[in-house]
Amino acid sequence: MLTGAELLNRVKELGDCAKTDLARGCGYVVQKKDGSEQVKFTAFYEALLEAKGLSFSTGASGVGKGGRKLSYKAVVQGNGNLLIGKAYTALLELQPGDEYEIKLGRKQIRLIPVGGSEEED
């Protein structure tokens, strides 16, 4: 499977052809147990984007329990509570017993550590 400049050069060489032939020509194909081929389109397009300068974060910072990605959205529950979740509190390094002042803005809710200043990020 080609990556980086090699991948970009190969895509230019292949020119205007079918997507399957393009991915296959760059080596993004695997043999399945039954002998058939499977083209790895997702891996191909991710490698192509990375070769063009768009990097994907592979760290665990955006991953919650079970490998799910964080959505950065919260839903108000039926009882009126707004649950943030363990993955977010871990990401922000919040500890049990930490106290925060709630500041309501026009379209935002800010948590300010008690004793901290508002300008801290």
Side-chain angles (χ1 to χ4, degrees):
M1 294 184 189
L2 299 176
T3 58
E6 292 177 324
L7 177 62
L8 292 175
N9 290 335
R10 183 68 177 152
V11 168
K12 286 180 186 176
E13 286 174 16
L14 293 172
D16 190 25
C17 64
K19 295 175 194 174
T20 303
D21 295 335
L22 192 59
R24 184 178 281 124
C26 293
Y28 286 85
V29 62
V30 293
Q31 292 288 97
K32 295 192 325 187
K33 289 182 181 179
D34 64 1
S36 63
E37 290 183 340
Q38 179 181 7
V39 180
K40 297 295 207 172
F41 287 107
T42 302
F44 170 69
Y45 285 115
E46 285 180 354
L48 190 58
L49 289 171
E50 285 184 19
K52 290 185 176 188
L54 180 68
S55 64
F56 295 95
S57 62
T58 56
S61 64
V63 178
K65 181 180 176 185
R68 294 176 292 179
K69 295 191 188 307
L70 298 176
S71 66
Y72 295 97
K73 294 180 182 176
V75 177
V76 177
Q77 298 175 339
N79 61 3
N81 289 343
L82 182 63
L83 181 66
I84 296 174
K86 184 176 181 178
Y88 297 102
T89 57
L91 185 65
L92 295 170
E93 299 176 359
L94 305 180
Q95 300 298 320
D98 287 352
E99 292 185 4
Y100 291 85
E101 183 178 344
I102 299 171
K103 293 279 188 177
L104 300 177
R106 187 170 178 192
K107 292 186 176 185
Q108 64 185 352
I109 299 172
R110 297 182 66 188
L111 298 177
I112 311 296
V114 172
S117 69
E118 254 184 79
E119 283 77 36
E120 291 180 9
D121 286 337

